[in-house]
Amino acid sequence: MSRRPGFVLEVDKSTPSTLFWNGEGFVLEALPEGSRVVYAPEPVKALEDPYGAIRHALLHPVGDRDPLPALLRPGMKLTICFDDVSLPLPPMASPDIRQMVIETVLDMAAEAGVDDVVLVAALALHRRMTEEELRHALGDRVYDAFAPHGLLTQHDAEDPDNLVHLGQTDQGEDVEINKRAATSDLLVYVNINLVSMDGGHKSVATGLASYRSLRHHHNPSTMRHSRSFMDQPSSELHSSNWRMGRLIADSGVEVFQIETTLNNDTFPTNFAFLQKREWEWSLRDRTTYAATSTALAKVPPRLSRQILHSIRSPHALTSVQAGEVEAVHALTTANVWTQQGVDVEGQTDILTMGLPYICPYNVNSIMNPILVACLGLGYFFNMYRGRPLVREGGVVIMRHPTRPEFHPGHHPSYIDFYEQVLTQTVDPTEMHKQFEESFATDPWYVHLYRTGHAYHGVHPFYMWYWCAHALAHVGRVIVVGGNPAAVRRLGFSPASSLDDALEIASDIVGPSPTLTHVHNPPILMADVH
Amino acid sequence: MSTLLFERSLPRFAAARVVSSLGSGRGVGIGPLRLVERDAPRLPAAGWVRVDPTLSGICGSDLATLDGRSSRYFEDIVSFPFVPGHEVVGTVASDAVAADGRALTAGDRVVLQPVLGCAARGIEPPCAACQGGHVGNCGRTAFGHIRPGLQTGFCADTGGGWSSAGLVAHESQLYPVPEDLSDEDAVTVEPVACAVHAVLGAPVAGGDVVAVLGAGTLGLLVTASLGHLAALGRCATPSALLVGARYGHQQKLARRLGATEVLPPDQLPRAVRRHSRSLSFGGDPGTTATLSDGADVVFDCVGSPESIAQALAMVRPRGTVALVGMPGRATLDLAPLWHREVRLAGAYAYGSEAGGSAHDAVSTFSLAFDVAAAHRTGQLVSATYPLSRFEDAVAHAGAAGRRGAVKIAFDTRKGPSR
Amino acid sequence: MAGSGLRRRIGAARFPLAAPTWPTTVERPEPERRVGLDYDHEWSRRYPVRLARAMVLDNVTRPVARLVAPATVRGLEHLGRLEGPVIFAANHASHLDTPLLLTTLPTGFRHRTVVAAASDYFFDRTWKSVLWSFALAAIPIERSKVNRKSADTAADLVEDGWNLVIFPEGGRSPDGWTQPFRGGAAYLARRTGRPVVPVYLHGTRHVLPKTPEWDGRAPGGSGTEDRRGGRLRRSPIAVLFGAPMVPDEGESARRFSDRVEAAVATLSREVASDWWQARRAVSAVAPVAGAETAHRGPDAAAWRRSWALDPPPSRARRPEWPD
């Protein structure tokens, strides 16, 4: 059967209820007649020989780059950087795509006799990965060959000895990145392009940058002018990264970019119903739905989290391209759109979404209220090209339990942000002015970021800025089934059921609004005409 | 005339202690406090005058006494039976001269400064503390021509505020109430004076991080006093005044009274850490996390072993923990205090406050009247009760936070039953 | 209360109820050292002890080793034709090596074998000395140099009819590659005239890896620590015995040692292929140079040496979850 493209369903009397993710669980909701549901295209066919495809890409680069073996020579300094634990979601089943690419690169490097090789996890201000996570991403063979010798490192944006300031862009943006990477003869970047925001110049200019550099594009004003940050040409976030990327290239840093795309085969067979259209659910799908949704609702959140976070996604490689950053990224973006793009006619008054248990910042961790806001208003809202799915002044309804729970080891500054900042303001610009610096330079957060597995002190602010465009655009945000105190703390309205939420929304959008539901994940991007 | 009398009765004492372990104030019904008919005490000597209480507050130390959990240290500076009530606003029954030398005519409103120091006890010459105006530090509260009692309300000879029969007070204890101050504002002047004394006794420097633990009457008044005294230039302005308040109404009041940030007590250490830009260590189950730097001054307005331990964990090395709430027996790990050279300082009562180079020395009470007027501290008086409902009153005071209250007072204007 | 009172009384006891204290003015002699190289292990070869050891070795160590590390054994036929004591020279990557080797030996050898063990590790405390002397019939030797006393002891034992297991690398390999052989085994062979049997132990480093010796700090920062050391994992294991070797006429101990190393290297090649392929691979170059490329690893940067090693077996992983 050939792959079916994305699809917009109009709900009528014979439409079965629609699956909504609800944190560590899911529910079926009956949407009002006339509502639209946007479904992602079916998975693109996987490459049959991933290792062969990777080898081919490295030997036949695009843009102005020689094949990788021609760039490798004894005595050179080679740095291989790779995307961190935030990609892909959920983590893919072994072997991870990074392992496959890096093993191929290392075989070539070993063949060429390159002795000075260092691996760098390009995690910017994200938390350091744990041993298990690194082993999963890179494979034991790479880990055991590099980690014991101190050659497997994780980018440290607070290490003054390992940062280099390359200059300022014509807009006065500081470009400061990892010194080892910047001073290498060749910087190989191994990317996973899960969504169209990833990759391109953002890989190096963001992944390997310091706070001093990141603050130029990770701020409320830039994020408000990124419409959306998933659509590179219309994204101020990306314009800034592109300026920085070009400056990095002009400063003589030779980047060999390897980008990969995955299909949206997101869930393993026993959870397959999560990516099926409801009217096609088989008896088995219905049984597993009933069993898992009941079980997940019954067990304590800690256990349901463990169950869901142990899901390893069957994501498969659909393309790999290597060479010069911009040429590579153009191909990558096209491939991402092939997998995720759905044409949607016109905007809607109410946009509904069910938020899952995972976002890029809580892999093996807890989804706290700030991340809930970021996933809904930052990610899902911005999954559009052209115009937002919801009209200006419209309403966003999200479903998530929004429990005020935090992972103290991973998100220490989030706790203080929740207790000490959100109690005083929810306005991105205001908190940027009043609080950002004190969080960004707090010595305790810096210590935890550098020596533990904590996100940087400023990270919760970035999550909130991610929402800035949506906060300025929509008239109200309603969270169905959320902890009322936590939802109010975020500045949103709590509702106990979807009907209540629609009732609350009617104050803003009138009694007979249009409603669109994004059936995400699997990830989809709406092309709104 | 009705009077609440606290008698020495060991069985009742023990009973109160057992029952009040279920909740402060609950044991008062079977405790040693009784409503009796009794006249005002006789005037002990010249210079004494009868005061008819109008409002009289229930203080944390009163609750501790009624619950039978106050320290045995006080046994010898208290005399039985006594009439509790040391937060008193009332009227003088005859003409007198107030502590500041102003003349009072019968019926004038006064606030009682309850400490029974050398002047009230007729001790000549007065002790060094009293001579210096620091009447709160008087060490002779067990001697002189009245029976032992550190304050009015703990002395068998003076009576106390929880009485419609009146009490007797020495002229040096009387402070006239300005016209514009309501009775409710006036009844809080005594606790305000405690807060003022605590604030001026703590070494707050400009730009300091100051934490206040607890937002009952004292915590809120320390918050209010710190802001007001800093505005007067009598103390430095901290960069952050962080208040730990458990209940919603306390949090609102603390914000209104000038706190920079108000948080539930379990979140306070995190706010202190952030404002003092500290690192933090320890904190495994069973130990308290200690801050590398911490607050410069912590006002502990609770006085429990837990609150003192929390204060010690939040204060910076060489910082000060001021114990404002009355503590008792406590089991504490003093290793951090020793290692970090923390000063653990008591802050009791009032007297005279040195003004430094810019101000004259002035009595704590006159500053307290300022603060009470500026912040209308009468807003903390949540409920008043007639003496006949003393069991309800004490139970309400014992559960003040939970029941959305701050200060509970007896109203003796309306007679014993209302 | 009674207990603490009793304790106080005992604590307060004075001479003669308590042991006498030494007068400060009287010089105290150094205590006699009875561990390390000076440990007297003669008892461990007395008949009742041998019997007890044989019981433990056959009934405890052997089944446990079989369970933890089921090994493929090759080349035992070389031992069948041998008479009298021999010296086993093996590579060394894990603590598992000694029990594994001992339990794979045919019965005739197993109960008449002593193991040369580093005196600074296995004989630094009395209890350890007793334990290893008993369980493995270990004798203390110095890692780095030939110590007169320990060499004499070992030679005497071999001449006395005891087989000797020796790890000529002088310690477990730090990175998985074999370290250069030291001359001890060859010296003893020359001195006693007994043959050396080369042994290659494959895969033990994956089963029980050496614990890395960093001082608590991961080289690449947190997340890059290796917490696998000292823990047991399943991995295929092989024990390969080579043909016995005797020194040639006039061959120096040094030269003979190199030849033994080359033989172990050849065996290491045999794991992946067969005896003939291994022989060809090694004898394509000079025997000694072949030894280096075969099992000492390439002379390159640390990562390339690790990269060239056989990969560890893959294993299932669970995500690390917060408490």
Side-chain angles (χ1 to χ4, degrees):
Chain A
M1 199 169 74
S2 70
R3 185 176 81 92
R4 292 185 295 182
F7 170 63
V8 180
L9 166 84
E10 184 150 328
V11 175
D12 62 16
K13 282 210 161 39
S14 48
T15 308
S17 315
T18 308
L19 182 92
F20 273 59
W21 271 96
N22 183 33
E24 292 84 25
F26 19 77
V27 290
L28 287 171
E29 293 275 14
L31 289 169
E33 240 179 279
S35 305
R36 299 185 299 177
V37 183
V38 188
Y39 288 92
E42 291 188 329
V44 171
K45 203 163 164 295
L47 293 177
E48 264 170 23
D49 173 16
Y51 274 106
I54 292 164
R55 229 183 138 69
H56 182 268
L58 300 185
L59 294 174
H60 302 89
V62 296
D64 179 23
R65 277 284 179 287
D66 290 329
L68 186 60
L71 299 170
L72 302 171
R73 56 173 201 281
M76 78 181 299
K77 197 167 163 185
L78 172 66
T79 302
I80 303 172
C81 304
F82 55 95
D83 281 344
D84 74 342
V85 72
S86 58
L87 291 162
L89 296 179
M92 67 191 288
S94 285
D96 192 279
I97 186 67
R98 284 163 288 211
Q99 173 186 343
M100 296 196 266
V101 174
I102 291 174
E103 282 181 357
T104 313
V105 172
L106 286 175
D107 278 338
M108 289 179 177
E111 223 164 282
V114 185
D115 277 333
D116 187 359
V117 180
V118 167
L119 266 56
V120 182
L123 43 77
L125 302 182
H126 295 176
R127 69 175 174 87
R128 300 173 70 85
M129 295 163 76
T130 63
E131 183 196 345
E132 289 302 308
E133 288 162 349
L134 286 166
R135 283 185 181 277
H136 180 78
L138 304 174
D140 288 325
R141 187 160 174 235
V142 176
Y143 188 93
D144 288 334
F146 284 82
H149 310 300
L151 301 174
L152 171 55
T153 65
Q154 309 204 50
H155 173 63
D156 182 350
E158 290 288 348
D159 180 3
D161 299 333
N162 195 18
L163 288 170
V164 58
H165 189 253
L166 295 176
Q168 287 192 332
T169 66
D170 52 2
Q171 309 265 324
E173 297 148 316
D174 295 281
V175 179
E176 188 175 48
I177 64 165
N178 186 289
K179 190 181 195 169
R180 162 76 204 192
T183 56
S184 291
D185 296 307
L186 185 65
L187 162 54
V188 172
Y189 196 101
V190 180
N191 143 292
I192 298 178
N193 233 84
L194 184 70
V195 291
S196 50
M197 172 185 75
D198 306 327
H201 284 303
K202 189 171 168 288
S203 292
V204 171
T206 295
L208 295 174
S210 67
Y211 169 64
R212 184 180 172 196
S213 199
L214 288 167
R215 68 197 160 109
H216 292 289
H217 44 73
H218 279 54
N219 60 53
S221 152
T222 305
M223 294 316 295
R224 236 175 235 145
H225 292 103
S226 297
R227 303 188 162 193
S228 73
F229 61 67
M230 290 290 171
D231 181 18
Q232 182 228 312
S234 321
S235 165
E236 187 51 38
L237 172 71
H238 286 83
S239 309
S240 175
N241 270 293
W242 254 242
R243 287 191 292 273
M244 291 184 172
R246 284 174 187 158
L247 185 133
I248 291 168
D250 292 344
S251 346
V253 180
E254 194 165 353
V255 180
F256 189 88
Q257 180 94 355
I258 307 169
E259 298 198 349
T260 59
T261 56
L262 301 172
N263 65 13
N264 65 357
D265 190 6
T266 313
F267 298 101
T269 342
N270 44 345
F271 284 101
F273 66 91
L274 291 168
Q275 55 196 35
K276 273 189 175 177
R277 297 164 188 186
E278 288 80 354
W279 56 93
E280 290 172 357
W281 282 14
S282 64
L283 177 64
R284 188 186 162 188
D285 291 329
R286 284 178 283 139
T287 320
T288 39
Y289 165 80
T292 46
S293 63
T294 317
L296 289 171
K298 288 263 160 62
V299 302
R302 186 187 149 84
L303 189 56
S304 49
R305 258 199 300 266
Q306 276 190 28
I307 294 167
L308 290 169
H309 277 271
S310 62
I311 290 182
R312 292 288 169 263
S313 163
H315 285 310
L317 185 66
T318 58
S319 79
V320 51
Q321 39 274 327
E324 187 275 323
V325 180
E326 294 184 23
V328 165
H329 193 61
L331 290 174
T332 308
T333 310
N335 288 330
V336 170
W337 271 98
T338 311
Q339 174 61 82
Q340 298 176 357
V342 186
D343 286 321
V344 180
E345 275 310 320
Q347 291 178 304
T348 180
D349 293 324
I350 298 176
L351 177 65
T352 62
M353 44 179 86
L355 301 182
Y357 66 97
I358 198 170
C359 83
Y361 315 104
N362 75 317
V363 176
N364 300 329
S365 186
I366 296 170
M367 179 106 134
N368 61 51
I370 294 137
L371 294 177
V372 170
C374 176
L375 180 61
L377 299 184
Y379 280 84
F380 283 23
F381 172 87
N382 278 291
M383 292 290 194
Y384 74 85
R385 183 160 69 176
R387 297 183 291 165
L389 257 172
V390 61
R391 71 165 167 86
E392 185 150 11
V395 172
V396 169
I397 299 178
M398 334 197 264
R399 216 183 196 300
H400 193 277
T402 326
R403 281 181 289 265
E405 293 174 335
F406 296 83
H407 188 309
H410 293 166
H411 302 119
S413 64
Y414 280 68
I415 301 176
D416 291 352
F417 180 84
Y418 182 76
E419 288 171 358
Q420 297 167 43
V421 175
L422 289 181
T423 43
Q424 303 190 48
T425 179
V426 290
D427 176 33
T429 317
E430 188 56 34
M431 65 177 64
H432 174 64
K433 273 195 301 213
Q434 233 192 89
F435 294 102
E436 182 187 305
E437 206 198 327
S438 75
F439 272 74
T441 58
D442 190 303
W444 177 232
Y445 303 147
V446 170
H447 173 80
L448 294 175
Y449 161 77
R450 296 192 62 183
T451 61
H453 297 280
Y455 281 85
H456 193 272
V458 79
H459 203 260
F461 288 81
Y462 291 172
M463 294 302 94
W464 204 255
Y465 302 162
W466 246 225
C467 309
H469 169 28
L471 288 172
H473 181 87
V474 303
R476 179 168 283 184
V477 181
I478 304 170
V479 182
V480 178
N483 174 304
V487 170
R488 285 200 195 93
R489 176 79 57 93
L490 300 172
F492 308 154
S493 311
S496 55
S497 68
L498 184 61
D499 287 340
D500 281 355
L502 293 174
E503 201 55 45
I504 298 169
S506 66
D507 291 351
I508 312 246
V509 292
S512 49
T514 55
L515 186 150
T516 304
H517 176 68
V518 282
H519 206 282
N520 184 355
I523 296 169
L524 63 91
M525 288 279 293
D527 213 342
V528 185
H529 306 295
Chain B
M1 296 300 252
S2 302
T3 294
L4 286 168
L5 196 66
F6 189 95
E7 290 169 313
R8 175 168 241 156
S9 155
L10 284 177
R12 286 171 151 254
F13 210 74
R17 195 180 164 100
V18 171
V19 178
S20 69
S21 64
L22 301 171
S24 178
R26 291 217 189 161
V28 69
I30 54 163
L33 189 70
R34 286 192 306 140
L35 187 65
V36 298
E37 289 298 314
R38 181 163 294 205
D39 292 331
R42 64 177 179 83
L43 298 174
W48 285 73
V49 60
R50 198 182 90 223
V51 175
D52 297 318
T54 317
L55 291 178
S56 181
I58 303 175
C59 161
S61 60
D62 295 329
L63 283 172
T65 311
L66 296 176
D67 291 344
R69 59 183 159 84
S70 71
S71 166
R72 293 191 63 183
Y73 161 82
F74 294 113
E75 269 177 18
D76 292 323
I77 46 176
V78 168
S79 51
F80 295 91
F82 63 82
V83 181
H86 57 273
E87 298 173 1
V88 186
V89 56
T91 52
V92 284
S94 51
D95 294 356
V97 181
D100 54 7
R102 273 187 282 173
L104 296 166
T105 41
D108 278 357
R109 289 192 303 160
V110 289
V111 166
L112 197 69
Q113 181 279 97
V115 175
L116 296 166
C118 289
R121 295 180 171 276
I123 295 172
E124 271 302 328
C127 70
C130 285
Q131 255 174 26
H134 303 296
V135 63
N137 303 121
C138 177
R140 304 190 178 180
T141 50
F143 309 101
H145 61 221
I146 50 172
R147 274 182 277 180
L150 67 162
Q151 291 186 347
T152 302
F154 296 100
C155 174
D157 285 340
T158 60
W162 299 2
S163 163
S164 58
L167 54 88
V168 294
H170 188 256
E171 286 179 329
S172 67
Q173 293 183 275
L174 303 179
Y175 284 83
V177 180
E179 273 303 296
D180 58 340
L181 222 56
S182 70
D183 285 341
E184 278 75 13
D185 293 334
V187 80
T188 61
V189 165
E190 193 273 344
V192 171
C194 290
V196 167
H197 184 68
V199 167
L200 294 179
V204 177
D208 273 3
V209 173
V210 174
V212 178
L213 257 176
T217 310
L218 279 175
L220 291 170
L221 292 177
V222 163
T223 307
S225 303
L226 188 54
H228 189 72
L229 295 168
L232 289 179
R234 283 200 165 259
C235 73
T237 312
S239 67
L241 175 56
L242 310 171
V243 180
R246 183 173 310 241
Y247 301 102
H249 68 288
Q250 295 177 337
Q251 294 171 359
K252 262 186 216 139
L253 279 166
R255 264 183 218 114
R256 206 189 298 160
L257 295 174
T260 321
E261 247 175 75
V262 185
L263 305 106
D266 56 323
Q267 300 179 9
L268 184 64
R270 283 198 282 271
V272 169
R273 188 215 59 74
R274 196 173 75 74
H275 281 274
S276 61
R277 298 178 76 78
S278 301
L279 308 179
S280 159
F281 54 90
D284 299 328
T287 67
T288 316
T290 305
L291 299 180
S292 65
D293 298 79
D296 300 279
V297 177
V298 180
F299 290 99
D300 176 9
C301 302
V302 179
S304 68
E306 297 77 31
S307 71
I308 300 174
Q310 197 187 8
L312 288 175
M314 286 195 304
V315 75
R316 69 165 161 84
R318 302 180 74 91
T320 300
V321 172
L323 294 181
V324 189
M326 186 179 84
R329 240 177 199 295
T331 305
L332 286 172
D333 183 356
L334 290 181
L337 174 120
W338 168 80
H339 176 236
R340 292 154 73 88
E341 298 198 336
V342 169
R343 266 154 297 188
L344 185 62
Y348 164 70
Y350 17 70
S352 170
E353 306 299 339
S357 51
H359 298 275
D360 296 331
V362 61
S363 81
T364 319
F365 263 71
S366 64
L367 290 172
F369 274 106
D370 274 2
V371 175
H375 283 287
R376 291 289 151 198
T377 49
Q379 64 181 307
L380 302 190
V381 179
S382 316
T384 59
Y385 285 82
L387 293 170
S388 56
R389 290 183 58 207
F390 74 94
E391 288 166 354
D392 293 341
V394 173
H396 197 173
R402 228 165 358 96
R403 291 174 60 180
V406 181
K407 172 64 73 187
I408 305 297
F410 284 109
D411 187 342
T412 48
R413 287 173 297 198
K414 297 151 191 158
S417 58
R418 187 167 42 164
Chain C
M1 272 300 165
S4 81
L6 186 65
R7 240 175 288 145
R8 206 175 313 130
R9 272 207 204 166
I10 292 170
R14 294 281 179 272
F15 179 77
L17 290 176
T21 49
W22 201 275
T24 334
T25 45
V26 181
E27 202 186 329
R28 204 165 183 174
E30 280 286 310
E32 216 177 315
R33 213 176 99 90
R34 289 184 191 279
V35 290
L37 285 177
D38 304 321
Y39 181 67
D40 182 8
H41 42 79
E42 200 261 318
W43 63 273
S44 68
R45 289 178 299 278
R46 298 229 182 99
Y47 190 72
V49 183
R50 279 168 62 187
L51 193 65
R53 175 164 54 245
M55 300 279 283
V56 173
L57 211 54
D58 287 353
N59 298 310
V60 181
T61 320
R62 212 162 119 88
V64 170
R66 282 267 166 95
L67 189 74
V68 173
T72 317
V73 184
R74 279 201 232 167
L76 275 180
E77 67 276 11
H78 295 305
L79 301 180
R81 268 174 270 133
L82 276 172
E83 293 260 330
V86 294
I87 299 164
F88 295 100
N91 65 319
H92 197 16
S94 161
H95 279 324
L96 203 62
D97 291 347
T98 311
L100 178 69
L101 180 51
L102 276 183
T103 51
T104 358
L105 287 176
T107 331
F109 287 89
R110 196 186 310 149
H111 301 307
R112 194 102 174 118
T113 300
V114 293
V115 179
S119 61
D120 61 348
Y121 189 97
F122 294 93
F123 287 89
D124 61 336
R125 296 269 186 287
T126 310
W127 68 268
K128 281 165 110 180
S129 311
V130 172
L131 175 65
W132 300 126
S133 302
F134 171 71
L136 303 175
I139 58 165
I141 55 154
E142 208 146 331
R143 278 179 201 276
S144 48
K145 54 181 190 282
V146 178
N147 175 287
R148 175 105 206 158
K149 187 175 170 205
S150 56
D152 284 350
T153 318
D156 288 352
L157 284 171
V158 172
E159 278 161 1
D160 219 20
W162 287 84
N163 305 294
L164 175 72
V165 170
I166 193 162
F167 297 104
E169 289 176 65
R172 284 171 297 155
S173 158
D175 62 358
W177 290 108
T178 305
Q179 307 167 85
F181 277 22
R182 300 171 201 281
Y187 165 82
L188 286 173
R190 263 177 59 90
R191 179 163 154 183
T192 60
R194 297 306 310 165
V196 171
V197 174
V199 184
Y200 182 69
L201 302 162
H202 170 79
T204 52
R205 74 186 176 93
H206 295 313
V207 178
L208 183 66
K210 187 177 176 179
T211 311
E213 290 162 358
W214 308 308
D215 44 356
R217 215 169 252 268
S222 67
T224 62
E225 52 278 87
D226 194 334
R227 275 175 272 136
R228 300 196 309 159
R231 266 191 273 165
L232 286 170
R233 277 169 212 287
R234 284 199 92 79
S235 180
I237 282 187
V239 183
L240 289 86
F241 293 94
M245 306 165 74
V246 283
D248 293 337
E249 273 303 310
E251 191 179 29
S252 72
R254 178 71 253 163
R255 176 91 193 139
F256 181 52
S257 176
D258 286 347
R259 216 147 58 79
V260 171
E261 186 177 346
V264 173
T266 313
L267 290 171
S268 78
R269 292 277 179 117
E270 222 179 295
V271 175
S273 55
D274 57 58
W275 171 80
W276 177 242
Q277 292 297 332
R279 277 305 296 269
R280 281 182 40 187
V282 175
S283 47
V285 281
V288 176
E292 280 173 15
T293 45
H295 71 163
R296 278 197 199 160
D299 182 18
W303 83 266
R304 278 175 61 201
R305 285 175 58 77
S306 301
W307 194 245
L309 279 170
D310 53 315
S314 67
R315 63 201 168 84
R317 260 185 210 99
R318 292 181 66 84
E320 286 170 71
W321 195 256
D323 298 316

